[in-house]
Amino acid sequence: MSGDPTLVHGLADDLVPPDWPPLTLDEVTPVLREYGLNAVAVTWQSPRPLSAAGLVVADSRTVFVKRQSAQVRSVEGLLEEHAFSAHLRDHGIQLPELVRAHHGGTVVETDGWTWEVQERGEGNDLYRETQSWQPFFSVTHAHSAGATLARLATAGEQFTAPARRPQPLITSWAAIAQPDLVDALEEFVAARPMLTDALAGRPWQKDVTRDVVPLHRRFAPYAELLPAGWTHGDAHASNFLWDPAGAVSCVLDLGLSDRTTPLVELATAIERNAVSWLDARPQARLDVVDALLRGWSSVRPLSDVEAAALPELVPIVHTEFALSEVGYYADVTGSANNAEIAYSTYLLGHARWHAGPEGQELRQHLQTYAGWTPGR
């Protein structure tokens, strides 16, 4: 996807004007000065829509600069991500190094914005113009991503920080890990005023009971049997950099990370990369599924419980993030159309797809691959 560099990815495989103003040299210059850097030029604007970010030449090197609304990510919220990033780097996961500001921290706050600066990651950004919902270009990429995610999830089990405080755009499982999904989601919604406002007037409990609860009911018995651990939570192809052989060389963007369970990492990767959601009739890419599974299993073989749980987790793993997007679009960006897409297409539509014939084919494929069938 190419064209006007000031446009960003929309929700329907299109390019749209950004919700957040692009970075400018005048704006980033005083911010980078806080990090001891002299900005020279903004050389690339990220097309990802949930923040403003890009590459900036500063002194003799290029850094990645990201600006977010403090409504979306406070200083405290960003520091949660940065602590996890430091832990992963200490455990051998390749992530960009965070640049520290003069005050010793990694976050700068200015006029309702929060800023972070990272060293440029090592590798080729092969998917930087590609929509987040597009499958991997090759099974080689999918296999390497699966192995990388398994290593990351294993390191995440050793990160003991509690689950993140309620905030927009997090891949949590505070509700889907509970036995009664509607009761748990009522608590989830009540803790998030933006989401409470966005859902006012919608019969969301009725909709969730109809479309999501039957899927959740199959997963619920496994939830308490799965180990806890922090996960990346947004494992789509554009959040990796690649070496010339097609292997992951660097992991990007811990913005959606939270304390969940390692299996959330694999389920999210399948949900994000192995279903052609942007097509009129989405289909599962079973070759991508198998490559992700082979890569993951080469590092972290599925336990019996994980093998049984995975086919039931994939259909609902997006639930809390989709709801979070409803609140984000309705309240933060003021886009009723995008909030409707997040609610009707992402939350409910994906669940209906998973309950339909194509989704059941994916579920059965996951059961077969894992060597698990009902009654085992």
Side-chain angles (χ1 to χ4, degrees):
M1 184 178 293
S2 61
D4 188 338
T6 66
L7 300 179
V8 298
H9 294 166
L11 300 186
D13 198 19
D14 54 356
L15 290 171
V16 299
D19 290 319
W20 306 110
L23 302 179
T24 66
L25 183 60
D26 285 346
E27 183 186 30
V28 301
T29 294
V31 173
L32 288 189
R33 197 173 293 131
E34 293 292 316
Y35 289 89
L37 298 171
N38 297 306
V40 176
V42 179
T43 58
W44 175 71
Q45 303 275 358
S46 171
R48 306 294 158 192
L50 303 181
S51 63
L55 296 176
V56 179
V57 175
D59 297 316
S60 60
R61 69 187 198 267
T62 298
V63 294
F64 179 80
V65 178
K66 186 174 183 179
R67 184 196 69 215
Q68 296 184 82
S69 167
Q71 286 183 277
V72 178
R73 206 59 87 237
S74 66
V75 172
E76 293 77 16
L78 269 179
L79 290 176
E80 292 170 334
E81 299 168 23
H82 292 181
F84 184 38
S85 177
H87 169 85
L88 291 176
R89 287 196 304 276
D90 287 345
H91 285 74
I93 306 299
Q94 296 300 310
L95 291 104
E97 186 79 24
L98 288 156
V99 180
R100 290 195 171 274
H102 287 312
H103 59 65
T106 52
V107 182
V108 166
E109 187 174 21
T110 64
D111 301 322
W113 304 109
T114 50
W115 296 81
E116 59 185 309
V117 178
Q118 302 173 8
E119 300 291 355
R120 188 171 186 174
E122 293 293 327
N124 298 316
D125 198 355
L126 299 178
Y127 292 85
R128 77 180 191 175
E129 304 298 335
T130 303
Q131 286 274 7
S132 299
W133 295 103
Q134 295 284 13
F136 288 104
F137 294 157
S138 71
V139 293
T140 299
H141 287 177
H143 185 280
S144 182
T148 299
L149 291 169
R151 286 190 287 270
L152 191 155
T154 298
E157 284 186 286
Q158 301 172 56
F159 187 57
T160 59
R164 297 176 73 171
R165 66 203 73 197
Q167 55 198 291
L169 306 179
I170 298 293
T171 299
S172 61
W173 82 324
I176 64 173
Q178 302 305 314
D180 189 312
L181 180 62
V182 174
D183 282 353
L185 284 178
E186 286 179 341
E187 292 185 18
F188 179 88
V189 172
R192 294 159 175 81
M194 287 190 294
L195 181 55
T196 301
D197 292 344
L199 293 177
R202 290 186 184 270
W204 70 266
Q205 293 98 330
K206 179 180 177 181
D207 291 342
V208 166
T209 298
R210 181 192 63 237
D211 292 331
V212 187
V213 166
L215 301 172
H216 176 266
R217 194 176 291 123
R218 298 195 300 236
F219 170 72
Y222 302 111
E224 66 179 5
L225 305 176
L226 297 170
W230 274 66
T231 48
H232 181 285
D234 194 21
H236 58 75
S238 56
N239 274 338
F240 302 104
L241 300 180
W242 307 86
D243 71 16
V248 172
S249 58
C250 189
V251 179
L252 306 176
D253 195 358
L254 296 175
L256 276 59
S257 61
D258 199 3
R259 186 172 182 81
T260 60
T261 184
L263 200 64
V264 162
E265 204 79 277
L266 179 57
T268 301
I270 292 170
E271 166 76 9
R272 293 280 195 276
N273 301 285
V275 180
S276 58
W277 293 116
L278 299 179
D279 292 348
R281 291 180 57 87
Q283 301 291 322
R285 282 282 305 275
L286 300 182
D287 58 335
V288 172
V289 173
D290 289 350
L292 282 166
L293 285 165
R294 288 194 301 269
W296 178 279
S297 299
S298 71
V299 173
R300 184 189 174 95
L302 294 171
S303 69
D304 288 347
V305 169
E306 289 174 328
L310 180 63
E312 317 307 348
L313 178 57
V314 169
I316 61 169
V317 72
H318 72 294
T319 300
E320 291 173 38
F321 182 71
L323 275 171
S324 183
E325 284 192 303
V326 175
Y328 168 81
Y329 286 119
D331 193 277
V332 178
T333 69
S335 173
N337 181 64
N338 284 350
E340 181 61 35
I341 291 172
Y343 184 82
S344 296
T345 301
Y346 292 173
L347 175 66
L348 303 179
H350 283 202
R352 288 193 292 269
W353 182 91
H354 280 290
E358 293 87 358
Q360 287 304 296
E361 179 185 6
L362 172 59
R363 177 176 178 245
Q364 291 163 11
H365 185 81
L366 289 169
Q367 291 173 336
T368 300
Y369 185 96
W372 177 82
T373 55
R376 175 180 172 185

